[in-house]
Amino acid sequence: MKSNRQYSSLGISESNGILRCVLAPGHRLNLIDAAMHEELEEFFADLVHREDVRVVVLTGAGNVFSSGGDLRSVANDEYHKGLPGGATTRAGLRMIRNLVSVPQPVIAALNGDCCGLAASIALHCDIIVAHERARIGDPHVSVGAVAGDGGAVVWPLQVSLSRAKEYLMLGELIPAREAERIGLINHVYDDATYDAAVEGLATRLASGAMYAIRWTKAAINKVLIERVNMVLDTSLALEGLSFTTQDYKEGMSAFLEKRQPMFKGR
């Protein structure tokens, strides 16, 4: 079954069983606004029905994977007002649950920085390769928000619990080589080898035994799906609750005014 769905925020191309999805072509820093969030939910759900697709490559336009959620639109967007159990929680649950239910192997190709929500998306993919210029991190706390859109689910599975706490509570970006060293991502390549490495990995997966690969993924992902079901609704609800604090309002104001926030713990 082939999908005829048209996307305005995603660049889709296909060849030889490989489907490539480019985040936000033409968008500033490939930011994920509400419209792209909805399209990603639909895109991941559609892949369940795509028997002709053997492997998916998810990447960003230009030299950035994605800087995460579009905070400028978040500031005035009802979609992200964040009442627990509201639209933010439901959309976040759909996004991650649809992604971990994709039957095909999904390669996250980090062509540049990958932050916040984008990092959660990448880390829920199956294999993560990065250009050496890339950095990855979840800086939710830097604007006074809980790292609730998937970080609390997946970081402890990729690195130790104590490392996950450190990275998520500090919100710092990790250079690609360091992320590879600690096991957060799989491989890092330089400018001369990155494109060929991504293509080679996708081709190897696409030419492999499709059902053996899919069912191996399905078995392993039982652990990930269990963690999603255990953690994600709580972490998203707490993220929504953090949106009601004075610290979040200060963090957003500081971000928009390009200054350091002055958090007061309330």
Side-chain angles (χ1 to χ4, degrees):
M1 173 180 176
K2 290 195 174 184
S3 174
N4 295 318
R5 192 188 301 272
Q6 298 295 312
Y7 298 100
S8 60
S9 300
L10 307 174
I12 306 295
S13 62
E14 301 179 44
S15 63
N16 301 319
I18 302 170
L19 187 153
R20 296 167 182 83
C21 176
V22 181
L23 297 179
H27 286 50
R28 179 176 53 85
L29 299 177
N30 306 338
L31 293 170
I32 302 170
D33 58 14
M36 186 191 298
H37 196 291
E38 184 174 347
E39 288 198 346
L40 282 168
E41 294 169 42
E42 296 171 354
F43 171 71
F44 295 137
D46 284 348
L47 288 168
V48 173
H49 309 290
R50 295 295 306 275
E51 288 293 314
D52 57 309
V53 173
R54 305 289 290 269
V55 61
V56 179
V57 177
L58 185 65
T59 191
N63 291 330
V64 178
F65 183 82
S66 170
S67 291
D70 187 351
L71 295 185
R72 286 179 172 81
S73 68
V74 168
N76 297 306
D77 194 340
E78 289 294 333
Y79 184 85
H80 289 280
K81 282 294 169 67
L83 293 177
T88 300
T89 297
R90 293 193 299 273
L93 285 168
R94 286 194 300 269
M95 163 84 81
I96 298 300
R97 285 175 173 165
N98 289 355
L99 172 54
V100 299
S101 298
V102 171
Q104 300 91 341
V106 182
I107 301 168
L110 309 187
N111 53 312
D113 283 356
C114 177
C115 309
L117 174 57
S120 292
I121 292 170
L123 292 172
H124 281 86
C125 294
D126 303 307
I127 301 174
I128 308 168
V129 298
H131 192 285
E132 62 182 0
R133 67 170 161 258
R135 297 175 298 168
I136 186 169
D138 195 328
H140 275 75
V141 296
S142 67
V143 293
V146 169
D149 57 22
V153 173
V154 74
W155 281 70
L157 288 175
Q158 304 287 61
V159 297
S160 69
L161 187 63
S162 59
R163 280 187 182 273
K165 289 177 181 178
E166 177 183 356
Y167 294 134
L168 293 177
M169 290 191 294
L170 291 178
E172 296 174 347
L173 299 184
I174 306 168
R177 296 288 182 192
E178 175 66 6
E180 179 188 37
R181 186 189 70 80
I182 64 176
L184 189 65
I185 65 177
N186 296 78
H187 304 290
V188 179
Y189 299 98
D190 61 20
D191 198 56
T193 57
Y194 170 79
D195 289 336
V198 173
E199 185 67 21
L201 177 59
T203 299
R204 287 178 62 192
L205 287 167
S207 62
M210 183 177 77
Y211 290 114
I213 291 172
R214 287 188 179 195
W215 294 344
T216 296
K217 170 180 173 172
I220 297 172
N221 264 21
K222 293 283 285 186
V223 175
L224 181 56
I225 291 168
E226 179 183 49
R227 186 64 64 92
V228 167
N229 290 335
M230 181 173 67
V231 174
L232 188 58
D233 56 350
T234 299
S235 65
L236 282 165
L238 289 171
E239 182 179 9
L241 189 60
S242 71
F243 292 168
T244 68
T245 66
Q246 291 299 314
D247 277 349
Y248 174 73
K249 293 175 183 177
E250 165 61 14
M252 287 300 302
S253 295
F255 173 80
L256 295 172
E257 295 165 10
K258 299 182 179 179
R259 59 174 174 82
Q260 288 296 314
M262 298 290 291
F263 296 127
K264 303 295 186 181
R266 49 178 195 267

